[in-house]
Structures are given as structure tokens and as C-alpha cells.
Amino acid sequence: MKKQCMNYIMACVSVLTLASCGDDEFSQIDFGQDEAEFTAVTPVPDHLRAGIPEEKPKEMLSVADPTPPEVWLISLYRQKPNHDPERDVMYYQKLLDEVLAHVHEDKRVVSNRLVQVTRQLQDKGIDADQDRLLIDFSHYLPSVNGKYVFGELTANYSNLRQQDMNHDQAMKQLFELI
């Protein structure tokens, strides 16, 4: 029985070996496409790379990303023209702590929502800034009772902004409704 199994396995290996011998010929078969139809891809010349960013900025902090949210927020802030060089990580930590006391999410989710709603509004041509949102949420949230889902707050803020309200009007309306 053992010998029959070994013979069977050897026969299978032999068939596979013989079948693979023709792979080079098979890969050379013309499937109706000439080599002339393909263009070789070359690297972008240096003079054209000047406007290409070296690294795409992070859209969101993933759960596996070890970057602390306050460090990510300060890095985004420092990309802005006319940023305050004295602003530090503790500034963001303090604001996040004030918000976290009134919402169910953690600081990573809060930071992601701030950046996400800002970028979504900017993509629609609406002026928005995650720093201003964080400052105003840290200001308004202590004035209301209870804990809130931060994602819902930012979604409602976004809806209000898309109804042609400016930032101040939208924040005031949002906190009057809760």
C-alpha cells in the first residue's frame, strides 16, 4: 500500500514536471497583442518631480499607527503658512482632554473626525479648519450636559455648514440643538 502511494505520488510529480516544461513556450504565445502596443514606463524626470510631494499626508490615523493623535495634529498645523512655532503637543493634548470628557470616543477617533470633516468640507469648497473645530468643541462641550458621540456632532456640524452657515453660526446652532 505504501509503495502504491509512493508510485502514485511519483507519477503525479512526473506529470507536473512534464507539463511545466512547456511554460516558457506558452508564455511566448502571441495573444493578438504586439509588443509595439506597450509603452515602457520610465521614472518621472527630476524637473517634473518638483511639484510632486515626497509623501502623501496621512488621511487618518489607523489603529495600528503608533503616532499619538496630538503629535499628528501638531504636524498638520505646522504645515500651515503663518503657524505659531511656539504651539506644542501639550496645546493639543489639553484641548483633546477637554473634548474627551464629554464624548464617548477616544482621542484617536476624535482627531480623525476633526480632520475628516475638515477635508470633506474643503473638498466641497467650504472653508474649514480642524484647529478651530477642536478649539470650539473644547469650548462648547463643557456647557452642555451628558456625553455625546463625537462622530454625530461633526456630521451635524458638516450638515449645517453645507446649508450655507458659516463656522460660528453652525457651532451655535449645533449646541442649541443638543
Side-chain angles (χ1 to χ4, degrees), residues 135-155:
I135 291 166
D136 285 350
F137 274 114
S138 71
H139 169 76
Y140 280 104
L141 278 168
S143 67
V144 294
N145 293 325
K147 277 195 161 206
Y148 298 91
V149 176
F150 193 71
E152 287 181 14
L153 292 174
T154 57

Side-chain angles (χ1 to χ4, degrees), residues 3-61:
K3 189 173 182 174
Q4 282 181 330
C5 281
M6 287 302 289
N7 286 339
Y8 180 74
I9 291 174
M10 291 302 289
C12 289
V13 169
S14 298
V15 169
L16 289 173
T17 303
L18 288 173
S20 67
C21 287
D23 280 353
D24 290 338
E25 292 174 14
F26 183 78
S27 64
Q28 299 293 325
I29 294 174
D30 182 11
F31 288 102
Q33 296 180 359
D34 297 330
E35 284 186 39
E37 291 181 31
F38 299 101
T39 305
V41 177
T42 58
V44 177
D46 288 338
H47 71 283
L48 295 176
R49 291 187 54 81
I52 300 175
E54 288 300 316
E55 182 181 330
K56 184 179 177 188
K58 293 178 188 176
E59 293 292 323
M60 295 180 81
L61 287 179

Side-chain angles (χ1 to χ4, degrees), residues 99-153:
V99 170
L100 293 176
H102 304 281
V103 299
H104 294 288
E105 294 92 337
D106 65 14
K107 65 182 174 179
R108 181 171 304 274
V109 174
V110 168
S111 299
N112 280 336
R113 294 290 172 259
L114 288 167
V115 174
Q116 181 184 39
V117 74
T118 298
R119 289 182 179 162
Q120 287 172 344
L121 289 170
Q122 289 172 344
D123 287 347
K124 293 180 181 204
I126 299 170
D127 183 42
D129 182 87
Q130 69 254 9
D131 291 322
R132 188 162 181 209
L133 269 174
L134 178 58
I135 291 166
D136 285 350
F137 274 114
S138 71
H139 169 76
Y140 280 104
L141 278 168
S143 67
V144 294
N145 293 325
K147 277 195 161 206
Y148 298 91
V149 176
F150 193 71
E152 287 181 14
L153 292 174

